[in-house]
Amino acid sequence: MIILLIMAGLIFCGASVYCFYKANYCACTQAGQCDNPVNHYWLGAMVNALVSLTFCCFALHVELGTLLWLTLMASCFLGAYISARHAKVKRCKNASSTNALLTNEPN
């Protein structure tokens, strides 16, 4: 039962991080155009984080559950950050190779 509660906490932790990054992406790329979805994404991030914290605290009681939740959140945020950086580097490499192909064409 404890493992199922921890797994549920991890799932909701991942959903919280997804909503957080989606809210930030929407706020940065479409400022002023998606205020309502940003509010929904922020609300989703907070609710999922609280549900995740609740599952972790039920699994391991308050002190250890909170430490587990902090560890889960930190690892999810770190994984998402590393993934975003890798995707950005990959996009930059693809864009630079495309620009090189376009500039080397004879007139």
Side-chain angles (χ1 to χ4, degrees), residues 86-99:
H86 179 69
K88 183 178 179 182
V89 168
K90 190 175 180 180
R91 275 194 314 258
C92 288
K93 285 182 181 178
N94 288 341
S96 65
S97 67
T98 303
N99 289 338

Side-chain angles (χ1 to χ4, degrees), residues 53 56-57 61-71:
L53 177 61
C56 290
C57 286
H61 303 293
V62 175
E63 292 175 4
L64 291 176
T66 304
L67 290 175
L68 174 67
W69 178 75
L70 286 172
T71 304

Side-chain angles (χ1 to χ4, degrees), residues 21 77-91:
Y21 275 108
F77 271 110
L78 182 63
Y81 176 74
I82 291 171
S83 175
R85 294 290 289 180
H86 179 69
K88 183 178 179 182
V89 168
K90 190 175 180 180
R91 275 194 314 258

